[in-house]
Amino acid sequence: MAGRTAVIALGGTEYTVHAFNIGELERVTELLQDADTQIKRNKMSFAILRIALERAEPTVDPGTVELD
């Protein structure tokens, strides 16, 4: 895959994540617009991380990642 990437380490594994595409940016924008309470804002970072991991390499189910 061409494009910009970053490497993040979660639970002792390094994942290459790609820059958001248009569809993903639209989803992130929707999250930001819906952040009207503190609880939603606190959950937002995890929702954005889930979007970022959808195309990660190696493939990962974000619900199974354990953080260090």
Side-chain angles (χ1 to χ4, degrees):
M1 266 184 150
R4 294 181 183 196
T5 61
V7 175
I8 58 172
L10 298 170
T13 303
E14 288 189 346
Y15 298 97
T16 300
V17 295
H18 301 271
F20 288 138
N21 61 33
I22 295 296
E24 292 162 340
L25 286 171
E26 288 173 341
R27 290 168 55 202
V28 169
T29 300
E30 288 173 7
L31 286 170
L32 295 172
Q33 290 174 343
D34 290 341
D36 58 354
T37 67
Q38 186 64 39
I39 293 171
K40 286 184 182 178
R41 285 191 295 270
N42 290 338
K43 290 183 177 182
M44 187 183 325
S45 59
F46 291 106
I48 293 171
L49 180 58
R50 282 180 176 275
I51 293 169
L53 289 175
E54 288 175 357
R55 296 186 295 136
E57 297 168 10
T59 303
V60 60
D61 173 2
T64 65
V65 174
E66 293 188 21
L67 304 178
D68 291 334

